[in-house]
Amino acid sequence: STSRGLGDVYKRQALERADILVVTDGLARAEDDVIARVAQARESRGVRVVSVVIGRDTAGVEAFSDEVRLLSPDALGDHPPR
């Protein structure tokens, strides 16, 4: 899950000054403890979180993201699965 993966960020020494890319539809919400741990990693390790939301609901990523980009599903077109 997104929350579990982001929540573990603060534990990983290898993520010093890492850039983390989150791609989501924005519908899921991170739990408060996950948001706090990501904030801790941002401060103590210099982690930067960029979220790409496919859709229009950015509320699920705003609390833990340094930058949020919107990608309209219409821009993706109607492509058959590969």
Coordinates of all heavy atoms in Angstrom, one line a residue:
S1 N 0.8 -1.2 0.0 CA 0.0 0.0 0.0 C 0.9 1.2 0.0 O 2.0 1.2 0.5 CB -0.9 0.0 1.2 OG -0.3 0.5 2.3
T2 N 0.3 2.3 -0.5 CA 1.1 3.6 -0.5 C 1.5 4.0 0.9 O 2.6 4.4 1.1 CB 0.2 4.7 -1.1 OG1 -0.1 4.3 -2.4 CG2 0.9 6.0 -1.2
S3 N 0.6 3.9 1.8 CA 0.9 4.3 3.2 C 2.0 3.5 3.8 O 2.9 4.0 4.4 CB -0.4 4.2 4.1 OG -1.3 5.2 3.7
R4 N 2.0 2.2 3.6 CA 3.0 1.4 4.2 C 4.4 1.7 3.6 O 5.4 1.9 4.3 CB 2.7 -0.1 3.9 CG 3.7 -1.0 4.7 CD 3.4 -2.5 4.5 NE 3.8 -2.8 3.1 CZ 3.0 -3.6 2.3 NH1 2.0 -4.1 2.8 NH2 3.4 -3.8 1.0
G5 N 4.5 1.9 2.3 CA 5.7 2.2 1.6 C 6.3 3.6 2.1 O 7.5 3.7 2.4
L6 N 5.4 4.6 2.1 CA 5.9 5.9 2.5 C 6.2 5.9 4.0 O 7.1 6.6 4.4 CB 4.8 6.9 2.3 CG 4.6 7.4 0.8 CD1 3.4 8.3 0.7 CD2 5.9 8.1 0.3
G7 N 5.5 5.1 4.8 CA 5.8 5.1 6.2 C 7.1 4.6 6.6 O 7.7 4.9 7.6
D8 N 7.7 3.7 5.7 CA 9.0 3.1 6.0 C 10.1 4.0 5.5 O 11.3 3.7 5.7 CB 9.1 1.8 5.2 CG 8.2 0.7 5.8 OD1 7.8 0.9 7.0 OD2 7.9 -0.3 5.1
V9 N 9.9 5.1 4.9 CA 10.9 6.0 4.4 C 11.9 6.5 5.4 O 13.1 6.5 5.2 CB 10.2 7.2 3.7 CG1 11.2 8.4 3.5 CG2 9.6 6.9 2.4
Y10 N 11.4 6.8 6.6 CA 12.2 7.3 7.6 C 13.2 6.3 8.1 O 14.3 6.7 8.7 CB 11.4 7.8 8.8 CG 10.8 6.7 9.7 CD1 11.4 6.4 10.9 CD2 9.7 6.0 9.3 CE1 10.9 5.4 11.7 CE2 9.2 5.0 10.1 CZ 9.8 4.7 11.3 OH 9.3 3.7 12.0
K11 N 13.1 5.0 7.9 CA 13.9 4.0 8.4 C 15.1 3.7 7.5 O 16.2 3.2 7.9 CB 13.2 2.6 8.5 CG 12.1 2.6 9.5 CD 11.4 1.2 9.4 CE 10.1 1.2 10.2 NZ 9.5 -0.1 10.0
R12 N 15.1 4.1 6.2 CA 16.1 3.6 5.3 C 17.2 4.6 5.1 O 17.0 5.7 4.6 CB 15.4 3.4 3.9 CG 14.4 2.3 4.0 CD 13.8 2.0 2.7 NE 12.7 1.0 2.9 CZ 11.6 0.9 2.1 NH1 11.5 1.8 1.1 NH2 10.7 0.0 2.3
Q13 N 18.4 4.2 5.5 CA 19.6 5.1 5.4 C 19.9 5.4 4.0 O 20.3 6.5 3.7 CB 20.8 4.4 6.1 CG 22.0 5.2 6.2 CD 21.8 6.3 7.3 OE1 20.8 6.3 8.0 NE2 22.8 7.2 7.3
A14 N 19.6 4.5 3.1 CA 19.9 4.7 1.7 C 19.1 5.8 1.0 O 19.4 6.2 -0.1 CB 19.7 3.4 0.9
L15 N 18.1 6.3 1.7 CA 17.2 7.3 1.2 C 17.6 8.7 1.5 O 16.9 9.6 1.4 CB 15.8 7.1 1.6 CG 15.1 5.8 1.0 CD1 13.7 5.6 1.5 CD2 15.1 5.9 -0.5
E16 N 18.9 8.8 2.0 CA 19.4 10.2 2.3 C 19.3 11.1 1.1 O 19.8 10.7 0.0 CB 20.8 10.0 2.8 CG 21.4 11.2 3.5 CD 20.8 11.3 5.0 OE1 20.5 10.2 5.6 OE2 20.7 12.4 5.4
R17 N 18.6 12.2 1.2 CA 18.4 13.2 0.2 C 17.7 12.6 -1.1 O 18.0 13.0 -2.2 CB 19.7 13.9 -0.2 CG 20.3 14.6 1.0 CD 21.5 15.4 0.7 NE 21.5 16.1 -0.6 CZ 21.0 17.4 -0.7 NH1 20.5 18.0 0.3 NH2 21.1 17.9 -1.9
A18 N 16.9 11.6 -0.9 CA 16.2 10.9 -2.0 C 15.1 11.7 -2.5 O 14.4 12.5 -1.8 CB 15.8 9.5 -1.6
D19 N 14.8 11.5 -3.8 CA 13.6 12.0 -4.4 C 12.6 10.8 -4.6 O 13.0 9.8 -5.1 CB 13.8 12.6 -5.8 CG 14.7 13.8 -5.8 OD1 14.5 14.6 -4.8 OD2 15.5 14.0 -6.7
I20 N 11.4 11.0 -4.1 CA 10.4 9.9 -4.1 C 9.3 10.4 -5.0 O 8.7 11.5 -4.8 CB 9.9 9.6 -2.7 CG1 11.1 9.1 -1.8 CG2 8.8 8.5 -2.8 CD1 10.7 8.9 -0.4
L21 N 8.9 9.5 -6.0 CA 7.8 9.8 -6.9 C 6.6 9.0 -6.5 O 6.7 7.7 -6.5 CB 8.2 9.6 -8.3 CG 7.1 9.7 -9.4 CD1 6.7 11.2 -9.4 CD2 7.6 9.3 -10.7
V22 N 5.5 9.6 -6.2 CA 4.2 8.9 -5.9 C 3.3 9.1 -7.1 O 3.0 10.3 -7.5 CB 3.6 9.4 -4.6 CG1 2.3 8.8 -4.3 CG2 4.6 9.2 -3.4
V23 N 2.8 8.1 -7.7 CA 1.8 8.2 -8.7 C 0.5 7.5 -8.2 O 0.5 6.4 -7.8 CB 2.3 7.5 -10.0 CG1 1.2 7.6 -11.1 CG2 3.6 8.0 -10.5
T24 N -0.6 8.3 -8.3 CA -1.8 7.8 -7.7 C -3.0 8.4 -8.3 O -2.9 9.4 -9.1 CB -1.8 8.1 -6.2 OG1 -3.1 7.7 -5.6 CG2 -1.7 9.6 -5.9
D25 N -4.2 7.8 -8.1 CA -5.4 8.5 -8.5 C -5.9 9.5 -7.5 O -6.9 10.2 -7.7 CB -6.5 7.4 -8.8 CG -6.9 6.6 -7.6 OD1 -6.4 6.9 -6.5 OD2 -7.6 5.6 -7.8
G26 N -5.2 9.5 -6.3 CA -5.5 10.5 -5.3 C -6.7 10.2 -4.4 O -7.0 10.9 -3.5
L27 N -7.3 9.0 -4.6 CA -8.5 8.7 -3.8 C -8.1 8.1 -2.4 O -8.9 8.3 -1.5 CB -9.3 7.7 -4.6 CG -9.9 8.2 -5.9 CD1 -10.7 7.1 -6.6 CD2 -10.7 9.4 -5.7
A28 N -7.0 7.5 -2.3 CA -6.5 7.0 -1.0 C -6.0 8.1 -0.1 O -5.4 9.1 -0.7 CB -5.5 5.9 -1.2
R29 N -6.1 8.0 1.2 CA -5.5 9.0 2.1 C -4.5 8.3 3.0 O -4.7 7.3 3.5 CB -6.6 9.6 3.0 CG -7.8 10.2 2.2 CD -7.3 11.5 1.5 NE -8.4 12.2 0.9 CZ -8.8 12.2 -0.3 NH1 -8.1 11.4 -1.2 NH2 -9.8 12.9 -0.8
A30 N -3.3 9.0 3.2 CA -2.3 8.5 4.1 C -2.8 8.7 5.5 O -3.4 9.7 5.8 CB -1.0 9.2 3.8
E31 N -2.5 7.8 6.4 CA -2.8 7.9 7.8 C -1.9 9.0 8.4 O -0.8 9.2 8.0 CB -2.7 6.6 8.5 CG -3.6 5.5 7.9 CD -3.4 4.1 8.5 OE1 -2.6 4.0 9.4 OE2 -4.0 3.2 8.0
D32 N -2.4 9.5 9.5 CA -1.6 10.6 10.2 C -0.2 10.2 10.6 O 0.7 11.0 10.5 CB -2.4 11.1 11.4 CG -3.7 11.9 11.1 OD1 -3.8 12.3 9.9 OD2 -4.5 12.0 12.0
D33 N -0.1 8.9 11.1 CA 1.3 8.5 11.5 C 2.2 8.4 10.3 O 3.4 8.7 10.4 CB 1.2 7.2 12.3 CG 0.8 6.0 11.5 OD1 -0.2 6.2 10.7 OD2 1.4 4.9 11.6
V34 N 1.7 8.1 9.2 CA 2.5 8.0 7.9 C 3.0 9.4 7.5 O 4.1 9.6 7.2 CB 1.8 7.3 6.8 CG1 2.5 7.4 5.5 CG2 1.5 5.8 7.2
I35 N 2.0 10.3 7.6 CA 2.3 11.7 7.2 C 3.4 12.3 8.2 O 4.4 12.9 7.7 CB 1.0 12.6 7.3 CG1 0.1 12.1 6.2 CG2 1.4 14.1 7.2 CD1 -1.3 12.7 6.3
A36 N 3.3 11.9 9.4 CA 4.3 12.4 10.4 C 5.7 11.8 10.1 O 6.7 12.5 10.2 CB 3.9 12.1 11.8
R37 N 5.7 10.5 9.8 CA 7.0 9.9 9.5 C 7.7 10.4 8.2 O 8.9 10.5 8.2 CB 6.9 8.4 9.5 CG 6.6 7.8 10.9 CD 6.6 6.3 10.9 NE 5.2 5.9 10.5 CZ 4.8 4.7 10.2 NH1 5.6 3.7 10.2 NH2 3.5 4.5 9.8
V38 N 6.8 10.7 7.2 CA 7.4 11.2 6.0 C 7.9 12.6 6.3 O 9.0 13.0 5.8 CB 6.3 11.2 4.9 CG1 6.8 12.0 3.7 CG2 6.0 9.8 4.5
A39 N 7.2 13.4 7.1 CA 7.7 14.7 7.4 C 9.0 14.7 8.2 O 9.9 15.5 7.9 CB 6.6 15.5 8.3
Q40 N 9.1 13.7 9.0 CA 10.4 13.5 9.8 C 11.5 13.2 8.8 O 12.6 13.7 8.9 CB 10.2 12.3 10.8 CG 11.5 12.0 11.5 CD 11.3 10.8 12.5 OE1 10.3 10.2 12.5 NE2 12.4 10.6 13.2
A41 N 11.3 12.3 7.8 CA 12.3 12.0 6.8 C 12.6 13.2 5.9 O 13.8 13.3 5.6 CB 11.8 10.8 5.9
R42 N 11.6 14.0 5.6 CA 11.9 15.2 4.9 C 12.9 16.1 5.6 O 13.8 16.7 5.0 CB 10.6 15.9 4.5 CG 9.8 15.2 3.5 CD 8.4 15.6 3.3 NE 8.3 17.0 2.9 CZ 7.2 17.7 3.0 NH1 6.1 17.2 3.6 NH2 7.2 19.0 2.6
E43 N 12.6 16.3 6.9 CA 13.5 17.1 7.7 C 14.8 16.6 8.0 O 15.9 17.2 7.8 CB 12.8 17.5 9.0 CG 11.9 18.6 9.0 CD 11.4 19.1 10.3 OE1 12.2 19.1 11.3 OE2 10.2 19.3 10.5
S44 N 14.9 15.3 8.5 CA 16.1 14.7 8.9 C 17.0 14.2 7.8 O 18.2 14.2 7.9 CB 15.9 13.7 10.0 OG 15.2 12.6 9.4
R45 N 16.4 13.7 6.7 CA 17.2 13.1 5.7 C 17.2 13.9 4.3 O 17.8 13.5 3.4 CB 16.7 11.7 5.4 CG 16.8 10.8 6.6 CD 16.5 9.3 6.1 NE 16.5 8.4 7.3 CZ 17.5 7.9 7.8 NH1 18.7 8.2 7.4 NH2 17.4 7.1 8.8
G46 N 16.4 15.0 4.3 CA 16.3 15.7 3.1 C 15.6 15.1 2.0 O 15.7 15.4 0.8
V47 N 14.7 14.2 2.3 CA 13.8 13.5 1.3 C 12.9 14.5 0.7 O 12.4 15.4 1.4 CB 13.1 12.3 2.0 CG1 12.0 11.7 1.1 CG2 14.0 11.2 2.5
R48 N 12.7 14.3 -0.6 CA 11.7 15.2 -1.3 C 10.7 14.3 -2.0 O 11.0 13.3 -2.6 CB 12.5 16.0 -2.4 CG 11.6 17.0 -3.1 CD 12.5 17.9 -4.0 NE 11.7 18.7 -4.8 CZ 11.4 18.5 -6.0 NH1 11.8 17.4 -6.6 NH2 10.6 19.3 -6.7
V49 N 9.4 14.6 -1.8 CA 8.3 13.8 -2.3 C 7.5 14.6 -3.4 O 7.0 15.7 -3.1 CB 7.3 13.4 -1.2 CG1 6.2 12.5 -1.8 CG2 8.0 12.6 -0.1
V50 N 7.5 14.0 -4.6 CA 6.7 14.6 -5.7 C 5.6 13.6 -6.0 O 5.9 12.5 -6.2 CB 7.6 14.8 -6.9 CG1 6.8 15.4 -8.1 CG2 8.8 15.8 -6.6
S51 N 4.4 14.1 -6.1 CA 3.3 13.3 -6.4 C 2.6 13.7 -7.7 O 2.5 14.9 -8.0 CB 2.2 13.4 -5.2 OG 2.7 12.9 -4.0
V52 N 2.3 12.7 -8.5 CA 1.6 12.8 -9.7 C 0.2 12.2 -9.5 O 0.1 11.0 -9.2 CB 2.3 12.2 -10.9 CG1 1.4 12.3 -12.2 CG2 3.7 12.8 -11.1
V53 N -0.8 13.0 -9.6 CA -2.2 12.6 -9.4 C -2.9 12.5 -10.8 O -3.0 13.4 -11.5 CB -3.0 13.5 -8.5 CG1 -4.4 13.1 -8.4 CG2 -2.3 13.7 -7.2
I54 N -3.3 11.3 -11.1 CA -4.1 11.1 -12.3 C -5.6 11.2 -12.0 O -6.2 10.4 -11.3 CB -3.8 9.6 -12.9 CG1 -2.3 9.5 -13.2 CG2 -4.7 9.4 -14.2 CD1 -1.9 8.1 -13.6
G55 N -6.1 12.4 -12.3 CA -7.4 12.7 -11.9 C -7.4 14.2 -11.4 O -6.6 15.0 -11.8
R56 N -8.3 14.5 -10.4 CA -8.4 15.8 -10.0 C -8.3 16.0 -8.4 O -8.3 17.1 -7.9 CB -9.7 16.4 -10.5 CG -9.8 16.5 -12.0 CD -11.1 17.0 -12.5 NE -11.4 17.1 -13.9 CZ -10.8 16.6 -14.9 NH1 -9.7 15.9 -14.7 NH2 -11.2 16.6 -16.1
D57 N -8.3 14.9 -7.7 CA -8.4 14.9 -6.3 C -7.0 14.9 -5.7 O -6.4 13.8 -5.5 CB -9.2 13.8 -5.7 CG -9.5 13.9 -4.3 OD1 -9.0 14.8 -3.6 OD2 -10.2 13.0 -3.7
T58 N -6.4 16.0 -5.3 CA -5.1 16.0 -4.7 C -5.0 16.0 -3.2 O -4.0 15.9 -2.6 CB -4.3 17.3 -5.1 OG1 -5.1 18.5 -4.6 CG2 -4.2 17.4 -6.7
A59 N -6.2 15.9 -2.6 CA -6.2 16.0 -1.1 C -5.5 14.8 -0.5 O -4.9 14.9 0.6 CB -7.7 16.0 -0.6
G60 N -5.4 13.7 -1.1 CA -4.8 12.5 -0.6 C -3.3 12.6 -0.5 O -2.6 11.8 0.2
V61 N -2.7 13.5 -1.3 CA -1.2 13.6 -1.3 C -0.6 14.9 -0.8 O 0.5 15.0 -0.5 CB -0.7 13.3 -2.7 CG1 -1.0 11.9 -3.2 CG2 -1.2 14.4 -3.7
E62 N -1.5 15.9 -0.7 CA -1.0 17.3 -0.3 C -0.3 17.3 1.1 O 0.7 18.0 1.2 CB -2.2 18.3 -0.3 CG -2.6 18.6 -1.7 CD -3.9 19.5 -1.7 OE1 -4.4 19.8 -0.6 OE2 -4.3 19.9 -2.8
A63 N -0.7 16.5 2.0 CA -0.1 16.5 3.4 C 1.3 16.1 3.4 O 2.0 16.4 4.3 CB -1.0 15.7 4.3
F64 N 1.7 15.2 2.5 CA 3.1 14.7 2.5 C 4.0 15.1 1.3 O 5.1 14.7 1.3 CB 3.1 13.2 2.7 CG 2.4 12.4 1.6 CD1 3.1 12.1 0.5 CD2 1.2 11.9 1.8 CE1 2.5 11.4 -0.5 CE2 0.5 11.2 0.8 CZ 1.2 10.9 -0.4
S65 N 3.4 15.8 0.4 CA 4.2 16.1 -0.9 C 4.8 17.5 -0.8 O 4.2 18.4 -0.3 CB 3.2 16.0 -2.1 OG 2.7 14.7 -2.2
D66 N 6.0 17.5 -1.4 CA 6.6 18.8 -1.6 C 6.1 19.5 -2.9 O 6.1 20.7 -3.0 CB 8.2 18.6 -1.8 CG 8.8 18.1 -0.5 OD1 8.8 18.9 0.5 OD2 9.2 17.0 -0.4
E67 N 5.7 18.7 -3.8 CA 5.2 19.1 -5.1 C 4.1 18.2 -5.6 O 4.3 17.0 -5.4 CB 6.3 19.2 -6.1 CG 6.0 19.8 -7.4 CD 7.2 19.8 -8.4 OE1 8.4 19.8 -7.9 OE2 7.0 19.9 -9.6
V68 N 3.0 18.7 -6.1 CA 1.9 17.9 -6.6 C 1.7 18.3 -8.1 O 1.5 19.5 -8.4 CB 0.6 18.1 -5.8 CG1 -0.5 17.3 -6.4 CG2 0.9 17.7 -4.4
R69 N 1.6 17.4 -9.0 CA 1.3 17.6 -10.4 C 0.0 16.9 -10.7 O -0.1 15.7 -10.3 CB 2.5 17.1 -11.3 CG 3.7 17.8 -11.1 CD 3.6 19.3 -11.5 NE 4.9 20.0 -11.3 CZ 5.3 21.0 -12.0 NH1 4.5 21.4 -13.0 NH2 6.4 21.6 -11.8
L70 N -0.8 17.5 -11.5 CA -2.0 16.8 -12.0 C -1.9 16.3 -13.4 O -1.3 17.0 -14.2 CB -3.2 17.8 -11.9 CG -3.7 18.2 -10.5 CD1 -4.8 19.3 -10.7 CD2 -4.3 17.0 -9.8
L71 N -2.4 15.2 -13.6 CA -2.4 14.6 -15.0 C -3.9 14.2 -15.2 O -4.4 13.3 -14.6 CB -1.5 13.4 -15.1 CG -1.4 12.7 -16.4 CD1 -1.0 13.7 -17.5 CD2 -0.5 11.5 -16.4
S72 N -4.5 14.8 -16.2 CA -5.9 14.5 -16.5 C -6.0 13.2 -17.2 O -5.2 12.8 -18.1 CB -6.4 15.6 -17.5 OG -7.7 15.2 -18.0
P73 N -6.9 12.3 -16.8 CA -7.1 11.0 -17.4 C -7.4 11.2 -18.9 O -7.1 10.4 -19.7 CB -8.3 10.4 -16.7 CG -8.4 11.1 -15.4 CD -7.8 12.5 -15.6
D74 N -8.0 12.3 -19.3 CA -8.3 12.6 -20.7 C -7.0 12.7 -21.5 O -7.0 12.4 -22.7 CB -9.2 13.9 -20.8 CG -10.5 13.8 -20.1 OD1 -11.0 12.6 -20.0 OD2 -11.0 14.8 -19.7
A75 N -6.0 13.2 -20.9 CA -4.7 13.4 -21.6 C -4.1 12.1 -22.0 O -3.2 12.0 -22.8 CB -3.8 14.2 -20.8
L76 N -4.5 11.0 -21.2 CA -3.9 9.7 -21.5 C -4.5 9.0 -22.7 O -3.9 8.1 -23.3 CB -4.1 8.8 -20.3 CG -3.5 9.3 -19.0 CD1 -3.9 8.3 -17.8 CD2 -2.0 9.4 -19.1
G77 N -5.6 9.5 -23.2 CA -6.2 8.9 -24.3 C -6.8 7.5 -24.1 O -6.8 7.1 -22.9
D78 N -7.3 6.9 -25.1 CA -7.9 5.6 -25.0 C -7.0 4.6 -25.6 O -7.2 4.2 -26.8 CB -9.3 5.6 -25.6 CG -10.1 4.4 -25.4 OD1 -9.8 3.7 -24.3 OD2 -11.0 4.1 -26.2
H79 N -6.1 4.1 -24.8 CA -5.1 3.1 -25.3 C -5.5 1.7 -24.8 O -5.8 1.5 -23.7 CB -3.7 3.5 -24.9 CG -3.2 4.8 -25.3 ND1 -2.9 5.1 -26.6 CD2 -3.1 6.0 -24.7 CE1 -2.5 6.3 -26.7 NE2 -2.7 6.9 -25.6
P80 N -5.4 0.7 -25.7 CA -5.7 -0.6 -25.3 C -4.5 -1.1 -24.4 O -3.4 -0.7 -24.5 CB -5.7 -1.4 -26.6 CG -4.9 -0.6 -27.6 CD -5.1 0.8 -27.1
P81 N -4.8 -2.0 -23.4 CA -3.8 -2.6 -22.6 C -2.8 -3.3 -23.4 O -3.0 -3.9 -24.4 CB -4.5 -3.5 -21.6 CG -6.0 -3.5 -22.0 CD -6.1 -2.6 -23.2
R82 N -1.5 -3.3 -22.9 CA -0.4 -4.0 -23.6 C -0.3 -5.4 -23.0 O -0.4 -5.7 -21.9 CB 0.9 -3.2 -23.4 CG 0.8 -1.9 -24.2 CD 2.1 -1.2 -24.0 NE 1.9 0.1 -24.7 CZ 2.9 0.8 -25.0 NH1 4.1 0.5 -24.8 NH2 2.7 2.0 -25.5

